[in-house]
């Protein structure tokens, strides 16, 4: 099957039927590269949310009773549909979210990685049999939870939609996805492709809406588990509500990720790594480096390389030839970042490279787009609130310290703990950093983005809940384990 223009229309999917929601506050969707409105979405109402839960409840008994091999075959078909439609889906992502086509193609590829990991469930989804004593046996079996809810973010509207769907469905659960209202077209397109694999009605449902719909779904007594990727305040609120109701939760929040450059580092490698980490996807990644900490006398040389490299980044519409960085996802995101840079200047920071002055390619067509160029800030006191917040944009704050101990202390001086990296040629320095830094993902001369089959998760306010979202951890999150003791 191939992707059609119909597949790029955002709509709600409830009980196998696509259509507008009955909510009243229309969601407007804008192309981040132009600022033009490209769609209006009729959101779900509370009644629609209830209908999605009821559909998922009805579908659960038959779906969970299917052999695991049947569910895996559907995931195989889903992967094939994504692969066959990669280019069309990537273009939807770019127009809806703003990232470059290469980044969008990478997102689709990453979604296929998550499907492949879930397809390996038969290798993991086994019970345990124990002979307790003569004539007495014990065995452990896994059972699906029931109706689950996933709240997906704007930065990976396809990858995270597919990621949560893959594990929830392969383990026999039914799922409701509440997509980000900032780029709902891409999430809808992904769900349409997954539906084409032959999912029964009600197994996978999609609703669009705002906080009231999320809160209602979390509170619904039939919803057993809640997954989300969002900002830390929102993740904390979702965790608090869901956990108080006795539900299983995985809530991934924000970050303030440090990148340390040691005096012995290969500066070309370090500069290239920082530029890729901090400006890829316009800085809108939970693992993006935003606090660069330089030890000692290499500060000036590294800063020169960063400014020179950032100047080579081509900013413009993600679909245009030669563009290497697109806009941020929304007007609100741009306004938030601009306000933060003004605040930083007020507190005495130096804007070494000012992305506020960027002229995106595309001329008049992109004048109203949500563009901020690569930005480098120096001299900002790390105690200032503006430096401690996650800006989620193409901005790095650079600090100079005198020792590895000071660099690690500044790396740990945050409420977050998602990722931390170091560039060094010393194994001893790398080992000390790895041991002492407080982060769930650590990179040594590398960006710490794990493959889909390896666990990933943050510390502190970067994560709330019971289980992380990558590797084999979702298998435990999406199943209950039952012990059966028998005597014959």
């Amino acid at each position: 099957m191939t992707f059609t223009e119909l597949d790029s229309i955002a709509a709600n999917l409830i009980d196998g039927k696509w259509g507008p929601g009955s909510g009243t506050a229309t969601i407007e969707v804008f192309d981040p590269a132009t600022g033009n409105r490209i769609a209006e979405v009729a959101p779900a109402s509370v009644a629609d949310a209830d209908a999605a839960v009821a559909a998922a409840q009805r579908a659960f008994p038959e779906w969970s009773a299917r052999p695991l091999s049947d569910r895996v075959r559907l995931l195989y078909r889903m992967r094939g549909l994504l692969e066959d439609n990669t280019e069309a889906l990537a273009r939807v992502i770019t127009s809806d979210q703003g990232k470059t086509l290469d980044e969008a193609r990478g997102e689709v590829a990453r979604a296929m990685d998550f499907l492949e990991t879930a397809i390996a469930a038969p290798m993991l989804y086994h019970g345990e049999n124990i002979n307790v004593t003569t004539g007495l046996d014990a065995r452990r079996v896994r059972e699906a939870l029931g109706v689950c809810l996933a709240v997906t973010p704007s930065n990976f509207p396809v990858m995270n939609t597919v990621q949560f769907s893959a594990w929830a469905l392969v383990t026999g659960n039914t799922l409701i996805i509440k997509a980000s209202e900032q780029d709902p077209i891409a999430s809808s397109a992904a769900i349409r492709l997954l539906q084409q694999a032959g999912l029964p009605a009600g197994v996978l449902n999609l609703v669009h809406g705002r906080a009231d719909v999320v809160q209602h779904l979390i509170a619904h007594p039939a919803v057993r588990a809640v997954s989300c990727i969002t900002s830390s305040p929102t993740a904390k609120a979702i965790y608090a509500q869901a956990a108080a109701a006795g539900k299983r939760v995985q809530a991934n929040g924000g970050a303030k990720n440090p990148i340390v450059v040691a005096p012995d580092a290969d500066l070309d490698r370090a500069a290239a790594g920082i530029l890729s980490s901090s400006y890829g996807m316009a800085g809108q990644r939970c693992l993006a480096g935003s606090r660069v900490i330089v030890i000692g006398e290499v500060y000036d040389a590294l800063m020169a390389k960063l400014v020179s490299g950032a100047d080579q980044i081509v900013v413009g519409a993600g679909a245009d030839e030669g563009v290497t960085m697109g806009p941020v996802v929304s007007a609100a995101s741009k306004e938030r970042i601009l306000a933060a840079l003004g605040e930083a200047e007020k507190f005495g920071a130096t804007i070494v490279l000012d992305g506020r002055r960027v002229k995106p390619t595309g001329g008049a067509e992109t004048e109203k787009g949500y563009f901020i160029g690569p930005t480098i800030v120096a001299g900002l006191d790390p105690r200032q609130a503006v430096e401690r917040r996650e800006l989620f944009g193409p901005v790095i704050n650079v600090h100079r310290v005198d020792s590895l101990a000071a660099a690690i202390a500044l790396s740990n001086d945050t409420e977050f703990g998602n990722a931390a990296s170091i560039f060094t040629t010393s194994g001893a320095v790398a080992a000390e950093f790895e041991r002492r830094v407080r982060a769930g993902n650590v990179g040594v001369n590398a960006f710490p983005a794990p493959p889909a089959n390896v666990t990933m998760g943050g510390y502190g306010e970067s994560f709330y809940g019971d289980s992380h979202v990558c590797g084999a951890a979702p298998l435990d999150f999406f199943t209950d384990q039952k012990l059966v003791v028998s005597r014959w």
Side-chain angles (χ1 to χ4, degrees):
M1 295 183 182
T2 57
F3 198 84
T4 67
E5 189 173 342
L6 178 65
D7 295 322
S8 63
I9 298 173
N12 298 276
L13 173 65
I14 298 174
D15 202 17
K17 300 179 180 67
W18 289 94
S22 60
T24 55
T26 300
I27 296 171
E28 295 183 307
V29 186
F30 297 87
D31 180 345
T34 65
N36 295 332
R37 187 174 62 186
I38 56 176
E40 289 186 352
V41 181
S45 63
V46 166
D48 295 330
D50 285 339
V53 175
Q57 284 182 287
R58 288 192 299 271
F60 174 70
E62 182 180 348
W63 178 249
S64 60
R66 279 198 180 193
L68 175 60
S69 57
D70 284 358
R71 300 197 296 265
V72 167
R73 288 188 192 100
L74 277 169
L75 264 62
Y76 268 115
R77 290 202 286 273
M78 290 176 181
R79 190 207 175 282
L81 287 162
L82 288 181
E83 184 171 26
D84 291 344
N85 293 277
T86 293
E87 189 63 21
L89 191 52
R91 291 187 177 278
V92 173
I93 295 170
T94 294
S95 66
D96 201 24
Q97 198 277 338
K99 65 183 68 174
T100 68
L101 275 175
D102 278 347
E103 290 168 338
R105 293 178 187 117
E107 178 178 348
V108 179
R110 183 75 164 162
M112 289 189 282
D113 288 345
F114 281 109
L115 280 168
E116 288 166 2
T117 303
I119 284 167
M123 299 297 294
L124 305 170
Y125 204 114
H126 52 77
E128 294 177 356
N129 294 280
I130 303 168
N131 177 241
V132 180
T133 188
T134 303
L136 186 65
D137 296 321
R139 58 189 173 91
R140 183 191 60 144
V141 295
R142 292 186 182 272
E143 292 186 338
L145 301 177
V147 179
C148 300
L149 168 67
V151 182
T152 58
S154 65
N155 57 339
F156 289 104
V158 167
M159 183 190 79
N160 292 133
T161 294
V162 173
Q163 174 184 4
F164 288 128
S165 298
W167 274 109
L169 300 188
V170 81
T171 48
N173 300 284
T174 53
L175 181 66
I176 301 164
I177 289 179
K178 206 300 285 185
S180 169
E181 58 268 33
Q182 295 186 83
D183 45 14
I185 299 174
S187 298
S188 296
I191 295 293
R192 288 180 188 274
L193 284 174
L194 299 187
Q195 280 295 103
Q196 288 182 26
L199 285 175
V203 170
L204 181 60
N205 303 273
L206 171 67
V207 296
H208 299 288
R210 297 182 175 85
D212 59 331
V213 170
V214 174
Q215 291 163 0
H216 183 77
L217 285 167
I218 293 172
H220 198 294
V223 173
R224 293 286 313 281
V226 180
S227 305
C228 74
I229 301 175
T230 181
S231 67
S232 284
T234 303
K236 187 175 184 178
I238 287 175
Y239 173 73
Q241 182 188 358
K247 301 176 192 292
R248 199 169 291 185
V249 192
Q250 46 184 191
N252 297 268
K256 194 70 181 180
N257 302 317
I259 303 177
V260 172
V261 180
D264 65 346
D266 179 328
L267 295 188
D268 288 329
R269 173 188 275 185
I274 292 166
L275 294 171
S276 175
S277 170
S278 304
Y279 300 136
M281 272 184 55
Q284 299 171 113
R285 296 184 293 196
C286 64
L287 296 178
S290 56
R291 176 183 276 177
V292 175
I293 305 166
V294 189
I295 303 174
E297 67 275 6
V298 297
Y299 179 91
D300 291 336
L302 178 70
M303 188 69 84
K305 289 180 182 295
L306 290 177
V307 172
S308 175
D311 275 336
Q312 303 305 308
I313 294 173
V314 180
V315 178
D320 288 352
E321 189 75 23
V323 167
T324 53
M325 193 176 90
V328 294
V329 70
S330 68
S333 292
K334 180 179 179 179
E335 290 167 7
R336 184 190 69 248
I337 296 164
L338 293 179
L341 291 175
E343 188 179 347
E345 284 185 307
K346 184 177 73 173
F347 288 117
T350 300
I351 311 297
V352 178
L353 184 65
D354 195 342
R356 295 173 295 186
R357 301 172 184 158
V358 70
K359 297 294 184 185
T361 65
E365 190 173 342
T366 56
E367 282 181 358
K368 295 181 180 180
Y370 313 138
F371 292 98
I372 297 177
T375 300
I376 299 175
V377 179
L380 181 60
D381 189 330
R383 293 172 295 183
Q384 293 290 348
V386 65
E387 205 280 346
R388 303 182 70 83
R389 296 197 300 268
E390 180 185 47
L391 294 187
F392 218 57
V395 179
I396 56 175
N397 295 304
V398 186
H399 304 275
R400 181 173 185 168
V401 297
D402 295 328
S403 66
L404 177 62
I408 294 171
L410 183 51
S411 296
N412 290 337
D413 185 19
T414 174
E415 296 80 12
F416 303 109
N418 215 26
S421 302
I422 189 167
F423 285 86
T424 179
T425 55
S426 166
V429 168
E432 184 174 357
F433 180 81
E434 176 187 339
R435 182 173 62 253
R436 293 176 55 195
V437 77
R438 295 293 299 163
N441 306 278
V442 177
V444 176
N445 298 318
F447 184 55
N453 62 335
V454 176
T455 190
M456 165 191 162
Y459 291 176
E461 294 192 11
S462 292
F463 178 77
Y464 301 89
D466 307 297
S467 172
H468 291 299
V469 299
C470 297
L475 180 63
D476 287 333
F477 180 79
F478 284 111
T479 58
D480 273 330
Q481 299 186 39
K482 176 184 289 183
L483 177 67
V484 180
V485 179
S486 57
R487 187 191 298 276
W488 295 100

